[in-house]
Amino acid sequence: MKDYSTAEMVNTILTVLVIPLLGLLAKSLITYLKREIAGLEQRIGNESVNHLLNQAADAVESAVIAVNQTFVETLKQQGDFNAEAMEKSFRMAKEKALILLGEAAKKELKLVTGDLEAWIEAKIEVYVNRNKQL
């Protein structure tokens, strides 16, 4: 009878304590894993977006430098760089940046920036200003 009581007591302890504790442990583990996965997805997403923005910024900077070297400097040396030429150089840099980006990057950047044209125009202004300071 003693063995039967002990077995019954172990069964009761398992039923009352251990099984609910295992349920709580499993729930906590699932919550923890979901939180870690969400954090990892966000970091991966942020890294992808940052990489895309850096590539786009490089394309804009390359376009500005190329237009400056091939168009602006020549006009400045000739004394013909005026407001009209400035506007033309801006358009040239924008067109060149859009070509360098390619269609796939432009689609992704539109999702990230909302207004890709405005973003490129702002970046052109930044790089033109930086080049003036050099």
Side-chain angles (χ1 to χ4, degrees):
M1 186 79 180
K2 192 174 183 182
D3 287 334
Y4 182 72
S5 299
T6 305
E8 194 174 285
M9 192 166 35
V10 168
N11 189 24
T12 303
I13 290 172
L14 285 175
T15 304
V16 173
L17 296 175
V18 175
I19 293 176
L21 286 175
L22 288 175
L24 288 173
L25 181 63
K27 184 177 179 180
S28 297
L29 182 61
I30 290 169
T31 302
Y32 171 77
L33 290 175
K34 283 182 180 179
R35 187 174 50 240
E36 288 299 310
I37 289 170
L40 182 60
E41 287 172 345
Q42 184 171 358
R43 282 193 299 273
I44 290 170
N46 288 343
E47 288 173 9
S48 297
V49 168
N50 287 339
H51 181 70
L52 178 64
L53 289 172
N54 287 336
Q55 281 183 314
D58 287 345
V60 173
E61 184 178 24
S62 296
V64 168
I65 291 169
V67 169
N68 185 57
Q69 187 173 353
T70 60
F71 180 72
V72 174
E73 288 298 320
T74 303
L75 290 178
K76 283 184 177 179
Q77 288 173 356
Q78 295 171 354
D80 293 334
F81 191 72
N82 54 25
E84 185 180 315
M86 188 183 318
E87 190 174 313
K88 183 176 180 180
S89 66
F90 186 87
R91 284 192 314 272
M92 289 172 66
K94 185 176 175 182
E95 289 170 11
K96 190 174 284 284
L98 287 168
I99 290 168
L100 289 172
L101 286 173
E103 291 304 315
K106 284 191 273 189
K107 286 178 185 177
E108 290 179 32
L109 282 165
K110 284 179 185 176
L111 295 173
V112 173
T113 63
D115 187 350
L116 178 60
E117 300 268 330
W119 185 86
I120 288 175
E121 290 170 4
K123 283 294 184 184
I124 289 171
E125 294 293 341
V126 166
Y127 290 120
V128 166
N129 191 8
R130 282 186 189 167
N131 284 341
K132 284 181 184 178
Q133 294 174 1
L134 295 177

